[in-house]
Structure formats: C-alpha cells, structure tokens
Amino acid sequence: MRFTSEQRLDDGVLEREFTLGEIPGILWTPASAPAPLILLGHPGGLPQMYPRLAARARQCAAEGFATATIELPGGGDRPRSATAEQARTDLHRALEAGQPVDDEIVDRLVLPLVEQAVPEWQAAIDALLPLPEIGGPVGCSGGVISIGIRLAVVEPRISAAVLFAGSFVPRTVFQEARQVTIPLHVLLQWDDEGNDRQSALDLFDAFGSAEKTLHANMGGHTGVPQFAGEAAAQFFTRHLK
Amino acid sequence: MRFTSEQRLDDGVLEREFTLGEIPGILWTPASAPAPLILLGHPGGLPQMYPRLAARARQCAAEGFATATIELPGGGDRPRSATAEQARTDLHRALEAGQPVDDEIVDRLVLPLVEQAVPEWQAAIDALLPLPEIGGPVGCSGGVISIGIRLAVVEPRISAAVLFAGSFVPRTVFQEARQVTIPLHVLLQWDDEGNDRQSALDLFDAFGSAEKTLHANMGGHTGVPQFAGEAAAQFFTRHLK
C-alpha cells in the first residue's frame, strides 16, 4: 500500500488516498487513534461516489471509527470486463422491457465481481490493520450486498456488518447467507425502485446470524434517512468497541 | 382522576397509582418536569404486567419522559365481558387445533376492546395533561396494536407511536391503518410464535405515515433486545422533544 495524497479535513479527520497495487483507495482516520476500522462499500466508481463516501466517513469518524474504501473491479479507471459489460447490457435490456431478470444474467454480472473483489478487500484489510492509527475489530458497511455476504463468510477479521438490501443476489450467494454468523444490521428502503422487497425480506430471513436486525424505512434507494445512519453507527459502536 | 398511592423509586422516579372513575392506572414522572407523556400499552392485567411496565417507565424516565398506563377493559379486576371471554375461548380452540383463525373471531375479540378502551385512554390524556409535571406532546408505546392504531387515527394529541407488531388485527382496523399519518416506529419480533410475520409486514405497508420505520429483531414475542428499546426511546426523543 502506498499513500499518494494526504489532507486534513476541517473536522480534524485525516483523509489519505492510496494505491494497493493497481487499485486506488481512500483511508479516513479520526483524531482519536487507534480506532476500529469500517470498510465502506459502494457500487463502484470512487470519483462519482466520493461525496457520499466522505460524508459517511466523517460521520463514522465522529463516532471514533476509521474508514476505508477501495475501487471495485471495473469501477472508476479500473479495466472493464467484457463479460460484466455484456451482463449489464442484458440486465438493463430486461429491466427496460419490464421483464423478469434471469438468474443467469445476475450470475454473469455479480459472481465474477464477488470473486475478484473479495480477495482485494481482504488485501486491503491486510494492508490497513498494521497501521498504528488502526486498531480493534473490523466492520463492513454497505455496497454491493453480495460482496458483503461473501466477505462476512470468508473473512474472520470482520466482526459485524451493516448491509444495504439489494436485489440481484446470485443463488449461490443467497445460499452462503445461511453461513453468515456475525451480527448484522440490514437497511431496507421500503420503496426502493431497483430492489424487490420480497427478495430482500427472504434474504434477511436466510442469514444465519443469531443477532440480525432489519431497519426498513420509507423512500427510494438513496433516501436513507439521517436517523437510519445514526442507528447503524450505534450498531457498530455496540460491536466494534 | 384520584391518586391512591405514591412512592419515590430509587432512581428518583415518582410512581403514583390512580383511579380514573373505576379504572386503575399508574403514572411515573421523572425528576425533570414538565416532561412529555408516553402512554404505555400492554395486553391487559396491570398486576401481572407491573414489573415490565415499571422497567419501561424507568427507561423512559431516564430519557426525560413521563409515562402512564391504565387497565384495559376486562383486565385485572375490571369486569369481564362474556362476549370477549367466548371469543378468547374460540381463538384458543382454533390455535390449539392448528386451524386458521376466522376473521369473525378476531372481530368479536378485538373490536369491542378497541371501542371501549380508546375513549378510556383519551379520558386518561384529558386527566393527565393538566398536571404540572406533564408538558408537551403525547406518544403511545406498545400494547394491543389495534388500540394503538385507532388512537393514532382519532386522537390528535398523539404525535408519535411505537407499535409492537401483532396479528389478530380486525379488517376494519387494518383499513384504518391507511389513515394513520403520525410518525411510526414498528417493532417486529421475526420469530414471534403468536404473530404472523406476513400479516405484520402487510400492516406496516398499509400505514399512511410518511415517516414509518420497521425494526425487526430475532427472537420470540418477549425477546425484544435491549438495544431495540433504546432505538424506540430515540424515536420518541426525535418526535416528542
């Protein structure tokens, strides 16, 4: 991991861009260090996602957490995959035609992303945990839910996860949900235009965790209310501190 | 309203029993007065429910809220209704036989209770609001959900409600849910043995409120985790203060 820029934000949070091999990433650390680490997920495209990610990072820093994120495969300036692009085209074609989305399209779109991204996030944990500013357990928050599920299953350093309900979970990943045992806090936007509510409820039901909480709020995909963010922060405070 | 006993609990909360006509009730007020009032619902039977009610009252008092409850029609020492007793017998017979519960049984059991209880809780608000220890808006929390729904519709002094998901909501009350517009915080125990999950989700969907949040947690009817109680308290703090 190599730091490429550093700036101190006005609330005292230190924001550093880094590269992990070819993968760009950002680390935010609060003044109070060492701090537990929360991995911030996103749908890909760090430059466009930056304002929302930085806002989440500052909210987490105010609660005493460090946060980090890395670019997804195919996101931002990272090389596109022809397979994923074709699957995305097929998905949009099905959605625009008002047709159900074939499992096969979801598999082609999401499975290679999960296969590639999860080891990258694990490499990010490897690189971040030795830093003196980072200490304690690791949480992950949001982003592509299939990546969060796989990470929760395969990465024992992740102690708790906030998942943002999403459709288009491959059947194999849905099955893996039963193997998740860490505490979960699942956010569901009740009227999410791009999210099938029943699928999200079925997925919540499938998780194997003894402690799992579903917080459903009104509004569309990007309408998560401020208080829902605060509740997620309290979940991490319970489990990472 | 006539106070019949008074004791100061060890955390400084003043607990007073009262009667409202023939109806017994309890009022808890925190040291910080005047305080907003939260009506504590319950399934009937104040003497048996007292330990849980007092615990909720003390948690609310710690957040700066006064709380009050009254006995339900047919609960505790209040006269039983032959109609309600017969409906309860029919309900238990259906449940024990593993049969679906007829809407007609639910109507016989719940509608007269709602019809009688709601004006009594409104009379309690009338009697409590003028007290110098009480000030600000009123919330209601838990208890028979059909009573909470009707109160939320007909009583404009109630500004926010925490509802505990329950089955056996009469069809007419389900329809009234669409008229509820106050902020709602709905608790659902995901594995509630006495509660049909899909009915609870349908009811949540039906509420007309622009702000409504569903918090689903693992466990059975009485297994609401401590942190879910804290989240409900934060909801009241957002809306009653």
Side-chain angles (χ1 to χ4, degrees):
Chain A
M1 189 175 60
R2 195 168 61 82
F3 286 109
T4 56
S5 79
E6 171 173 331
Q7 65 166 323
R8 180 77 61 179
L9 306 181
D10 51 17
D11 48 7
V13 176
L14 184 63
E15 175 181 288
R16 282 176 285 180
E17 296 180 298
F18 62 83
T19 55
L20 188 72
E22 303 296 312
I23 307 167
I26 314 175
L27 170 65
W28 293 270
T29 46
S32 58
L37 176 66
I38 297 172
L39 304 175
L40 297 184
H42 57 84
L46 281 192
Q48 308 94 287
M49 291 303 297
Y50 173 79
R52 283 166 64 189
L53 287 165
R56 287 162 66 196
R58 294 163 86 143
Q59 190 173 14
C60 289
E63 306 287 337
F65 295 108
T67 48
T69 191
I70 55 173
E71 185 58 276
L72 290 190
D77 293 332
R78 296 190 63 190
R80 301 280 178 277
S81 135
T83 317
E85 294 297 303
Q86 182 60 51
R88 197 180 310 273
T89 303
D90 296 345
L91 173 72
H92 287 157
R93 192 173 295 149
L95 290 175
E96 279 163 20
Q99 292 168 346
V101 177
D102 271 2
D103 287 340
E104 172 273 327
I105 298 177
V106 175
D107 286 354
R108 273 194 285 132
L109 181 65
V110 180
L111 284 182
L113 178 68
V114 171
E115 295 289 346
Q116 190 179 346
V118 166
E120 294 175 353
W121 286 86
Q122 293 183 287
I125 297 174
D126 292 341
L128 291 162
L129 275 189
L131 295 176
E133 301 90 333
I134 307 295
V138 181
C140 71
S141 174
V144 176
I145 191 167
S146 295
I147 296 176
I149 293 169
R150 176 71 60 82
L151 263 176
V153 171
V154 303
E155 178 47 70
R157 290 172 291 185
I158 293 186
S159 303
V162 170
L163 300 176
F164 197 108
S167 310
F168 309 134
V169 174
R171 294 152 296 177
T172 54
V173 177
F174 190 99
Q175 292 303 322
E176 287 173 54
R178 302 185 194 284
Q179 301 169 41
V180 175
T181 56
I182 59 171
L184 295 182
H185 182 101
V186 181
L187 289 171
L188 169 63
Q189 287 299 97
W190 198 250
D191 301 311
D192 194 333
E193 56 285 353
N195 196 350
D196 181 72
R197 188 192 298 161
Q198 192 57 53
S199 302
L201 294 169
D202 291 344
L203 181 61
F204 177 72
D205 193 47
F207 287 120
S209 307
E211 183 188 327
K212 55 180 177 180
T213 300
L214 178 73
H215 280 205
N217 287 291
M218 291 306 98
H221 190 72
T222 57
V224 178
Q226 170 77 15
F227 61 79
E230 291 162 10
Q234 288 163 359
F235 167 81
F236 279 129
T237 297
R238 283 205 310 281
H239 291 289
L240 301 184
K241 287 199 167 173
Chain B
M1 188 176 61
R2 197 166 61 80
F3 287 109
T4 55
S5 79
E6 170 173 331
Q7 67 166 320
R8 181 78 62 179
L9 307 181
D10 51 18
D11 47 9
V13 176
L14 184 64
E15 176 181 287
R16 284 176 284 181
E17 295 180 299
F18 62 84
T19 54
L20 188 72
E22 302 297 312
I23 307 167
I26 315 176
L27 170 66
W28 294 270
T29 46
S32 59
L37 175 67
I38 298 173
L39 304 174
L40 298 184
H42 57 83
L46 281 192
Q48 309 94 288
M49 291 302 298
Y50 173 79
R52 282 166 64 189
L53 288 165
R56 287 163 65 195
R58 293 164 87 143
Q59 191 173 10
C60 289
E63 306 287 338
F65 294 108
T67 48
T69 191
I70 56 173
E71 185 58 276
L72 290 189
D77 292 333
R78 296 191 63 190
R80 300 281 179 275
S81 134
T83 316
E85 295 296 305
Q86 183 59 50
R88 198 181 311 274
T89 303
D90 295 345
L91 173 73
H92 287 158
R93 192 173 294 148
L95 291 175
E96 278 164 18
Q99 291 168 346
V101 176
D102 272 1
D103 288 340
E104 172 273 326
I105 298 177
V106 175
D107 287 353
R108 273 194 286 131
L109 180 65
V110 181
L111 284 182
L113 178 66
V114 171
E115 295 289 344
Q116 190 179 347
V118 166
E120 293 176 353
W121 286 85
Q122 293 183 288
I125 297 174
D126 292 340
L128 291 162
L129 275 190
L131 295 177
E133 302 90 334
I134 307 295
V138 181
C140 72
S141 175
V144 177
I145 191 168
S146 295
I147 295 176
I149 293 170
R150 175 70 61 84
L151 263 177
V153 171
V154 303
E155 178 46 68
R157 290 173 292 185
I158 294 186
S159 303
V162 170
L163 300 176
F164 197 108
S167 308
F168 310 134
V169 173
R171 295 152 296 176
T172 53
V173 177
F174 190 99
Q175 291 305 321
E176 287 173 54
R178 303 186 194 282
Q179 301 169 41
V180 175
T181 57
I182 59 171
L184 294 182
H185 182 101
V186 181
L187 290 171
L188 170 63
Q189 287 300 97
W190 198 249
D191 302 312
D192 193 333
E193 56 286 348
N195 195 349
D196 180 70
R197 188 191 298 160
Q198 192 56 52
S199 302
L201 294 169
D202 291 343
L203 181 60
F204 177 72
D205 193 46
F207 286 121
S209 307
E211 184 188 326
K212 55 181 178 179
T213 300
L214 178 75
H215 281 204
N217 287 292
M218 291 306 99
H221 191 72
T222 57
V224 179
Q226 170 78 17
F227 61 79
E230 291 162 11
Q234 288 163 359
F235 166 81
F236 279 129
T237 297
R238 282 205 309 281
H239 291 289
L240 301 184
K241 288 200 166 173

